Amino acid sequence: QVQLVESGGGLVQPGGSLRLSCVASGSSISIYPMGWYRQAPGKQREWVASITTRSNTNYADSVKDRFTISRDNAKDTVYLQMNSLKPEDTAVYYCKAVGRGALDYWGRGTQVTVSS
């Protein structure tokens, strides 16, 4: 019903910033709660941030006050602004849409590497 494509990842130095984008097609994101997750090599995928259809937000403690999730329904896009990046933020970042019946839709991910 909806396809998600992440972009904006790359290599950044500690303390730097990146903005990730998640663009949806096939359906408007306005009807979906959205979230960002990340997965480092050898580790479980973990929740990073979420945003409701009313734009209420929540964050994992590890990223609170550094990351900001937002949505632009007119562009069918969800963003993750990442500031003060740390090496432990290195992971593949995935976008998720929560559909009806708790059906999740996932993008393929974008790599974020924080290294000096």
Side-chain angles (χ1 to χ4, degrees):
Q1 291 293 326
V2 60
Q3 295 79 46
L4 305 173
V5 179
E6 304 94 336
S7 63
L11 176 64
V12 64
Q13 294 183 355
S17 298
L18 285 173
R19 188 179 74 162
L20 306 183
S21 298
C22 172
V23 180
S25 61
S27 183
S28 173
I29 66 160
S30 65
I31 65 173
Y32 298 109
M34 303 291 293
W36 285 96
Y37 291 72
R38 66 188 182 186
Q39 187 169 25
K43 299 182 66 177
Q44 299 271 3
R45 186 172 298 187
E46 65 175 342
W47 168 73
V48 173
S50 60
I51 185 166
T52 71
T53 57
R54 301 297 182 95
S55 294
N56 295 316
T57 60
N58 286 287
Y59 301 92
D61 288 342
S62 59
V63 306
K64 190 175 183 179
D65 299 324
R66 298 189 299 120
F67 291 9
T68 302
I69 186 172
S70 62
R71 63 194 302 155
D72 186 340
N73 291 339
K75 296 181 178 180
D76 285 325
T77 302
V78 176
Y79 303 97
L80 185 68
Q81 179 66 47
M82 310 164 66
N83 299 326
S84 301
L85 284 162
K86 305 174 180 179
E88 50 262 46
D89 295 319
T90 296
V92 177
Y93 283 71
Y94 298 90
C95 179
K96 183 181 81 171
V98 181
R100 295 179 180 179
L103 177 63
D104 296 339
Y105 299 91
W106 294 90
R108 294 182 179 181
T110 185
Q111 177 71 48
V112 172
T113 302
V114 185
S115 177
S116 60

